């Protein structure tokens, strides 16, 4: 920008003199005319004088010498005024014209014609008009009275008329030349005066720009001016930065000129803000933003910027002006204020205010989604003893250590807050969809927290221990508010304190009982195999003639105090707790043993066992199956793994690979409860399946219900085209069996043929054990 101002200043100086002083310009022209006239006069006077001497024209010689001398005097006497020197010069021209007109003839008219023309050039139009009048009178008088010999056809004997005609023609041409010159010079003078006004305006503008440049250069705010460049695909190239930019960023002007502003962004510069700025600039709108910027040394700082596109006189947007200031200190102050308002100073955890905000948000989300979340109110037991014995500094260190342990235990979506003293609150987000499952998970997390807090704290080479009491409540409930949640969990925590401290209590008593029972079941289930409480049952699968062509192995649990526990009750608990993997391994071992016993009796047929998704997705599942088969010596082809459609929803490609590895061992696969889950024809085509099991919910109302009947027939037809066997489970009536047999169902399973029996009891039956089977065969 400094270079631009220098250029304007030079232009202004170049037009200053002619625009403000036309007289000075005329003086320079007159000086040049005198110099040229003197030089050329000397060159022409010498031969003229020599010729005049030979012809004895002494008057011509004298006139030439006088004229040259007179011009030389005028050229050298610069002290005379401009007007005096000009009128002397014009007088010389006039006298030379009169003399040569009288002495020589028409040659004198040349000097007379130059007389008014020079007056117009050097003095202006009005003196030139006066000179024209003098010229006309002089020419008429001298020509007529001295009878100058100028021939004019037809007027030789009429001298007065002849010189009148000569004077008129001479005056006409002389006037045209003189007035044209004068008018031209008038217009030039006016133009130069206008140019002088422009120069004045430029001088004023130049001064204004100089002041603006100085002000912009000295601003404490950073100023960056960029030019929109078509060569850079519409990107802006920096053309100016002020001193504040250089001081703040560490870049010198030479470092940034010609480069794009985005070259100076960094890894943490917010892309969403940059996109918003680009959109606003593209729409020729000003934009305000706060960005993370970087100095030349790579140091981050916060920059508040206002960017304004600038258009030229044609309305085309050619530049962008950015004004920015460093707001790092303000941002830090804002962060400090925010921390004081929303975070605990001692531990850095959210305080009560921020906790209530997050509870409110999570409560609203839970009410929309139906997902349960939990609030855990944690109070340290006997923390006052540490404060009293070791002082508040040690107590503060313990609180910081507790906060760190709690933060490390929970997920990023969860919140741990300190709401005062030795009280902490854990907000566990999106636990589960069912209340009982949510309660179980919340209790499990609470147990982990209680165990973690109970571990010793080492502070200043001293060991300290303290337990905690935890109150738990769940959301959402009808009409529940965020204040209710904090109050409920606090109430539950005091209930835990009253129960003897180092306890966990739920706000709802019935939920507490249910959760305790569930935890007891998990504990008992984990020991059920070791205590020989688990037993395998078998249920036959028969063909259309009633022959047993397979069987399903079913797990049963007989608890010493509860008695027989339904699979519908303990299987979900095993799935949630992960014990299902241990139970699944045991079932596989039992299936291999039963297969060997059937083979030994000569009654070998396939055995179906259920494999849970969690068990199937174990990394070492294939190796476990291979090892169990090798260790037992059982035939893999005698085993059918029943999997649910839920297994196929996630990681289908990985599932296919694992199923194919098991198929290479000889294992076959069946889709259990087909029709109630994912039910996609896509996976039926890709998976290495052996059979489908129609869920009993479709069999129950066949053949009386047209919808279920149509569904079953559709499944049978589809399986036939895909080359898959079909097993119908839940067959309990003769009508159902007749319909399925008529529909070419491969195998039937249900109470009509056989109830599940213990394996040993089943093996002791005759081969045609069921009366229902015999009746079906007879039919």
């Amino acid at each position: 920008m400094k270079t631009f101002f220098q250029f304007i200043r030079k232009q202004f100086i170049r037009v200053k003199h002619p625009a403000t002083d036309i007289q000075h310009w005329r003086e320079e022209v007159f000086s040049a005319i005198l110099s040229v006239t003197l030089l050329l006069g000397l060159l022409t006077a010498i031969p003229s004088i020599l010729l005049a001497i030979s012809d004895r024209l002494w008057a011509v010689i004298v006139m030439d010498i006088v004229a040259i001398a007179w011009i030389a005097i005028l050229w050298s006497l610069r002290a005379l005024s401009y007007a005096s020197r000009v009128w002397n010069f014009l007088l010389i021209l006039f006298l030379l014209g009169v003399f040569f007109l009288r002495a020589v003839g028409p040659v004198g008219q040349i000097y007379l014609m130059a007389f008014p023309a020079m007056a117009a050039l050097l003095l202006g139009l009005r003196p030139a008009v006066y000179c024209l009048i003098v010229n006309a009178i002089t020419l008429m008088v001298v020509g007529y009275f001295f009878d100058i010999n100028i021939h004019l056809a037809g007027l030789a004997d009429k001298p007065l008329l002849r010189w009148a005609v000569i004077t008129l023609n001479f005056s006409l041409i002389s006037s045209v030349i003189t007035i044209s010159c004068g008018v031209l010079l008038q217009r030039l003078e006016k133009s130069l005066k206008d140019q002088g006004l422009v120069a004045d305006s430029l001088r004023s503008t130049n001064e204004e720009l100089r002041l603006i440049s100085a002000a912009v250069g000295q601003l404490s705010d950073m100023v960056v001016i960029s030019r929109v460049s078509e060569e850079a695909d519409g990107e802006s190239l920096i053309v100016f930065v002020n001193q504040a930019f250089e001081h703040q960023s560490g870049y010198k002007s030479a470092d940034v000129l010609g480069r794009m502003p985005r070259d100076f962004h960094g890894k943490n510069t917010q892309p969403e803000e940059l996109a918003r700025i680009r959109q606003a600039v593209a729409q020729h709108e000003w934009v305000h933003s706060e960005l993370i910027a970087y100095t030349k040394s790579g140091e981050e700082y916060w920059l508040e910027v206002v960017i304004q596109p600038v258009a030229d006189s044609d309305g085309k947007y050619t530049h962008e002006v950015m004004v920015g200031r460093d707001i790092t200190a303000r941002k830090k102050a804002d962060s400090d204020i925010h921390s004081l308002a929303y975070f605990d100073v001692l531990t850095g955890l959210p305080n009560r205010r921020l906790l209530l905000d997050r509870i409110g948000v999570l409560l609203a989300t839970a009410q929309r989604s139906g997902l349960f979340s939990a609030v855990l109110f944690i109070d340290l037991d006997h923390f006052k003893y540490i404060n009293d014995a070791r002082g508040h500094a040690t107590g503060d260190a313990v609180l910081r250590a507790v906060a760190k342990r709690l933060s490390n235990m929970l997920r990023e979506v969860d919140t741990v807050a300190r709401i005062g003293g030795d009280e902490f609150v854990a907000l566990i987000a999106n636990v589960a969809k069912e209340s009982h499952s949510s309660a179980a998970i919340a209790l499990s997390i609470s147990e982990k927290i209680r165990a973690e807090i109970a571990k010793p704290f080492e502070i200043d080479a001293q060991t300290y221990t303290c337990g905690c009491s935890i109150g738990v409540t769940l959301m959402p409930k009808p009409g529940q508010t965020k204040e209710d949640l904090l109050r409920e969990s606090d109430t539950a925590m005091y209930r835990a304190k009253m129960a003897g401290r180092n306890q966990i209590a739920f706000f709802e008593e019935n939920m507490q009982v249910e959760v305790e029972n569930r935890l007891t079941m998990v504990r008992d289930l984990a020991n059920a195999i070791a205590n020989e409480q688990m037993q395998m049952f078998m249920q036959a699968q028969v063909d259309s003639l009633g022959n047993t062509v397979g069987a399903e192995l079913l797990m049963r649990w007989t608890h010493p105090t509860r008695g027989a526990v339904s699979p519908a009750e303990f299987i979900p608990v095993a799935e949630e707790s992960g014990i299902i993997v241990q139970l699944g391994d045991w079932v596989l071992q039992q299936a291999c043993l039963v297969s060997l016993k059937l083979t030994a009796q000569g009654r070998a047929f396939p055995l179906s066992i259920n494999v849970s998704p969690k068990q199937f997705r174990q990394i070492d599942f294939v190796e476990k199956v291979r090892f169990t088969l090798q260790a037992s010596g059982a035939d893999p082809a005698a085993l059918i793994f029943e999997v649910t459609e839920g297994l196929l929803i996630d990681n289908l490609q990985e599932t296919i690979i694992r199923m194919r590895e098991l198929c290479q061992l000889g294992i076959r696969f069946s889709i259990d409860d087909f029709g109630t889950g994912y039910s996609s024809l896509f996976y039926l085509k890709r998976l290495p399946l052996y059979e489908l099991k129609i869920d009993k919910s479709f069999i129950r109302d066949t053949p009386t219900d047209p919808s279920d009947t149509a569904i079953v027939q559709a499944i049978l037809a589809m399986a036939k085209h895909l080359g898959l066997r079909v097993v119908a489970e839940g067959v309990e009536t003769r009508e159902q069996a007749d319909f399925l047999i008529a529909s070419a169902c491969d195998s039937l399973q249900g109470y009509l043929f056989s109830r599940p029996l213990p394996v040993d009891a089943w093996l002791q039956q005759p081969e045609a054990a069921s009366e229902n089977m015999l009746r079906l065969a007879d039919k």
Side-chain angles (χ1 to χ4, degrees):
M1 186 165 284
K2 186 181 293 184
T3 304
F4 170 75
F5 289 141
Q6 291 173 348
F7 171 76
I8 293 297
R9 191 177 296 111
K10 289 179 181 178
Q11 300 304 312
F12 171 71
I13 292 173
R14 288 171 59 183
V15 302
K16 176 181 178 182
H17 292 163
T20 59
D21 193 1
I22 190 65
Q23 184 62 32
H24 179 79
W25 180 82
R26 280 187 167 134
E27 288 176 0
E28 289 183 347
V29 172
F30 178 62
S31 178
I33 291 173
L34 281 178
S35 299
V36 172
T37 303
L38 180 60
L39 177 62
L40 295 179
L42 288 171
L43 294 177
T44 58
I46 294 174
S48 177
I49 292 173
L50 292 176
L51 290 173
I53 292 174
S54 63
D55 295 334
R56 297 181 180 276
L57 298 174
W58 306 113
V60 174
I61 296 171
V62 173
M63 195 63 185
D64 283 344
I65 293 172
V66 171
I68 293 298
W70 199 349
I71 291 175
I73 294 171
L74 291 177
W75 180 79
S76 60
L77 291 178
R78 298 181 181 271
L80 290 175
S81 67
Y82 171 76
S84 298
R85 295 173 71 203
V86 170
W87 280 116
N88 272 274
F89 177 71
L90 294 176
L91 181 60
I92 293 171
L93 292 177
F94 177 76
L95 293 176
L96 285 173
V98 174
F99 174 78
F100 283 117
L101 181 65
R102 174 70 183 84
V104 180
V107 175
Q109 290 179 305
I110 298 174
Y111 289 91
L112 290 176
M113 187 172 291
F115 172 54
M118 286 293 104
L121 176 65
L122 300 175
L123 296 176
L125 187 59
R126 180 173 295 181
V129 172
Y130 296 152
C131 292
L132 283 171
I133 296 172
V134 171
N135 251 4
I137 295 172
T138 302
L139 184 61
M140 182 67 187
V141 171
V142 172
Y144 178 76
F145 287 103
F146 289 96
D147 194 20
I148 304 301
N149 187 20
I150 295 177
H151 177 72
L152 193 65
L155 297 176
D157 56 347
K158 297 178 181 179
L160 181 61
L161 183 58
R162 184 178 72 230
W163 277 103
V165 172
I166 291 171
T167 300
L168 288 173
N169 283 276
F170 176 85
S171 299
L172 173 63
I173 300 303
S174 180
S175 298
V176 169
I177 294 173
T178 301
I179 293 174
S180 296
C181 182
V183 172
L184 178 63
L185 289 174
Q186 275 189 340
R187 295 294 182 268
L188 177 61
E189 183 176 3
K190 183 178 184 302
S191 176
L192 291 176
K193 287 181 179 179
D194 292 339
Q195 190 175 359
L197 295 176
V198 173
D200 290 340
S201 176
L202 284 175
R203 186 189 302 110
S204 175
T205 302
N206 176 66
E207 182 64 17
E208 185 177 342
L209 288 175
R210 186 188 66 80
L211 292 174
I212 292 174
S213 176
V216 171
Q218 298 300 321
L219 277 177
S220 59
D221 289 346
M222 290 177 279
V223 178
V224 178
I225 301 177
S226 303
R227 175 177 56 84
V228 179
S229 173
E230 295 181 359
E231 294 81 3
D233 296 330
E235 290 283 354
S236 297
L237 301 180
I238 297 175
V239 296
F240 171 82
V241 294
N242 67 345
Q243 295 178 7
F245 175 86
E246 294 180 343
H247 175 74
Q248 175 60 39
S249 67
Y251 289 99
K252 297 298 181 183
S253 177
D255 297 333
V256 301
L257 294 183
R259 299 176 65 183
M260 292 180 285
R262 62 184 177 90
D263 292 341
F264 306 98
H265 299 156
K267 62 179 181 179
N268 292 329
T269 304
Q270 310 93 306
E272 65 279 0
E273 280 297 292
L274 296 178
R276 189 173 68 85
I277 291 173
R278 283 194 295 270
Q279 181 180 4
V281 171
Q283 297 174 354
H284 309 309
E285 298 175 350
W286 77 275
V287 60
H288 173 271
S289 179
E290 294 181 356
L291 295 168
I292 296 176
Y294 289 82
T295 64
K296 187 175 182 179
S297 61
E299 182 181 354
E300 285 187 7
Y301 66 97
W302 276 95
L303 182 65
E304 180 184 25
V305 296
V306 175
I307 301 176
Q308 175 69 58
V310 179
D312 60 14
S313 57
D314 296 329
K316 180 180 179 181
Y317 286 87
T318 59
H319 290 78
E320 298 164 9
V321 179
M322 184 211 77
V323 179
R325 66 178 58 184
D326 182 1
I327 57 169
T328 305
R330 194 194 80 191
K331 281 289 185 179
K332 184 179 184 305
D334 291 345
S335 177
D336 292 342
I337 293 172
H338 182 269
S339 296
L340 289 173
Y342 292 99
F343 291 88
D344 175 54
V345 176
L346 177 64
T347 63
L349 296 177
N351 59 13
R352 178 186 291 268
R353 182 177 180 181
L354 181 55
L355 173 67
L356 285 172
D357 286 346
R358 293 187 178 179
I359 290 177
V361 172
L362 192 57
L363 179 59
T365 303
Q367 290 170 343
R368 290 194 303 269
S369 65
L371 284 172
F372 281 85
S373 297
V375 179
L376 281 56
F377 199 111
I378 306 163
D379 185 87
L380 302 182
D381 294 332
H382 305 299
F383 177 73
K384 186 174 182 298
Y385 296 164
I386 297 176
N387 267 340
D388 293 344
R390 297 297 182 183
H392 288 281
T394 301
D396 290 345
V398 170
L399 292 175
R400 286 192 292 268
V402 170
K404 184 176 181 180
R405 288 188 184 181
L406 291 173
S407 298
N408 292 338
M409 287 182 63
L410 301 181
R411 305 167 298 173
E412 291 186 1
V413 296
D414 301 329
T415 297
V416 180
R418 177 176 177 244
I419 60 173
D422 58 351
E423 296 177 336
F424 297 84
V425 174
L427 180 59
I428 313 299
N430 303 329
V431 177
K433 287 187 176 181
E434 294 81 20
S435 60
H436 63 277
S437 299
S438 302
I441 294 173
L443 184 57
S444 176
I445 294 173
S446 300
E447 289 285 6
K448 292 178 182 178
I449 291 175
R450 184 173 64 171
E452 187 68 20
I453 299 300
K455 294 178 181 178
F457 296 92
E458 186 170 338
I459 299 171
D460 296 332
Q462 297 289 326
T463 299
Y464 301 91
T465 58
C466 65
C468 66
S469 300
I470 303 176
V472 183
T473 189
L474 298 179
M475 70 172 86
K477 301 170 189 172
Q480 197 174 38
T481 66
K482 56 186 179 182
E483 291 79 10
D484 292 338
L485 283 163
L486 208 55
R487 175 181 53 78
E488 291 173 4
S489 58
D490 190 15
T491 301
M493 183 273 296
Y494 276 105
R495 186 179 299 146
K497 290 275 190 186
M498 295 173 60
R501 301 182 186 273
N502 198 31
Q503 301 290 326
I504 301 171
F506 275 80
F507 178 72
E508 296 177 349
E509 290 292 344
N510 58 344
M511 184 179 292
Q512 178 76 13
V513 173
E514 180 182 344
V515 170
E516 290 293 346
N517 290 337
R518 198 174 187 85
L519 284 179
T520 301
M521 179 180 291
V522 171
R523 185 170 57 250
D524 294 345
L525 191 58
N527 299 318
I529 295 176
N531 295 333
E532 298 183 351
Q533 298 172 5
M534 288 296 179
Q535 188 178 7
M536 297 304 298
F537 278 51
M538 289 178 64
Q539 186 175 28
Q541 297 173 350
V542 302
D543 61 12
S544 60
L545 300 177
N547 298 319
T548 302
V549 293
E552 180 179 5
L553 289 177
L554 304 169
M555 183 168 49
R556 295 293 184 264
W557 180 23
T558 304
H559 192 273
T561 56
R562 298 185 184 187
V565 182
S566 168
E569 186 178 354
F570 74 81
I571 292 295
V573 174
E575 287 277 1
E576 291 179 7
S577 63
I579 298 175
I580 193 67
V581 176
Q582 177 187 354
L583 296 177
D585 294 341
W586 179 78
V587 168
L588 177 61
Q589 295 171 0
Q590 295 300 310
C592 291
L593 295 177
V594 173
S595 179
L596 291 173
K597 291 179 180 180
L598 288 172
T599 302
Q601 291 183 359
R603 303 169 63 183
F605 48 78
L607 294 176
S608 299
I609 61 172
N610 290 281
V611 177
S612 77
K614 186 170 292 187
Q615 179 188 6
F616 184 87
R617 293 194 179 103
Q618 295 294 307
I619 296 177
D620 59 346
F621 179 64
V622 176
E623 292 302 320
K624 280 184 178 181
V625 173
R626 180 182 290 110
F627 175 79
T628 302
L629 290 171
Q630 291 175 351
S632 64
D635 181 9
L639 296 180
I640 298 176
F641 285 179
E642 293 187 5
V643 296
T644 60
E645 293 174 284
L647 173 68
L648 312 173
I649 297 177
D650 298 324
N651 299 322
L652 179 60
Q653 190 59 38
E654 181 181 342
T655 300
I656 293 172
I657 293 172
R658 187 161 296 181
M659 289 179 69
R660 286 176 177 171
E661 290 177 354
L662 292 168
C663 288
Q664 290 175 358
L665 298 178
I667 303 294
R668 290 177 289 182
F669 282 90
S670 174
I671 299 295
D672 194 16
D673 300 332
F674 184 78
T676 62
Y678 194 46
S679 300
S680 171
L681 301 181
F682 175 72
Y683 72 73
L684 290 181
K685 182 178 70 174
R686 296 187 61 188
L687 294 176
L689 298 175
Y690 170 67
E691 71 178 16
L692 304 177
K693 292 192 73 174
I694 303 177
D695 187 71
K696 60 185 178 182
S697 63
F698 298 115
I699 303 299
R700 182 184 304 115
D701 295 326
T702 58
T704 56
D705 183 270
S707 299
D708 286 340
T709 302
I711 291 173
V712 171
Q713 289 176 333
I715 294 174
L716 290 169
M718 178 186 63
K720 181 179 180 180
H721 285 291
L722 294 175
L724 300 177
R725 291 184 76 256
V726 178
V727 176
E729 58 182 353
V731 181
E732 298 181 359
T733 66
R734 177 58 59 83
E735 290 76 12
Q736 294 170 349
D738 292 343
F739 164 72
L740 292 167
I741 292 172
S743 300
C745 184
D746 299 295
S747 184
L748 291 77
Q749 175 183 343
Y751 288 172
L752 178 64
F753 312 110
S754 170
R755 287 182 175 272
L757 295 174
V759 170
D760 292 339
W762 202 96
L763 293 175
Q764 292 174 4
Q765 293 182 119
E767 187 168 355
S770 172
E771 182 180 351
N772 287 325
M773 293 181 190
L774 293 175
R775 286 201 300 268
L776 185 60
D778 291 340
K779 182 177 179 181

